[in-house]
Amino acid sequence: QIAFTSKKDGNWNVYVIDRFTKVITQMTSDVADEMAPSFDAQGKLAFASNKSGTYRLYQLDEKKSWNKL
């Protein structure tokens, strides 16, 4: 999988594309801007978001919730 950001909906959101099927999944959707998505060694997705007013790091947990790191 490849994580990327796009501003196609008016603000920066995180997307993931499956490099084999070419299916794109939107991972974030809010009024904040999300940037710099990356997968860690275990395959967990993390990104920076300014949803708290300043940029902080977030990671997707097992419940599909975004947690501040």
Side-chain angles (χ1 to χ4, degrees), residues 9 11-15 26-32 34 47 51 66:
D9 295 327
N11 60 306
W12 291 101
N13 281 299
V14 175
Y15 297 81
Q26 186 172 351
M27 303 303 291
T28 62
S29 178
D30 56 38
V31 297
E34 283 84 32
F47 63 93
K51 63 177 80 190
W66 292 107

Side-chain angles (χ1 to χ4, degrees), residues 13-59:
N13 281 299
V14 175
Y15 297 81
V16 173
I17 185 169
D18 184 294
R19 62 190 187 115
F20 298 109
T21 66
K22 309 295 189 252
V23 173
I24 297 173
T25 304
Q26 186 172 351
M27 303 303 291
T28 62
S29 178
D30 56 38
V31 297
D33 286 334
E34 283 84 32
M35 304 298 247
S38 182
F39 290 101
D40 69 10
Q42 290 77 35
K44 292 183 179 179
L45 181 62
F47 63 93
S49 176
N50 66 354
K51 63 177 80 190
S52 66
T54 58
Y55 279 96
R56 306 270 189 226
L57 293 178
Y58 291 83
Q59 186 174 47

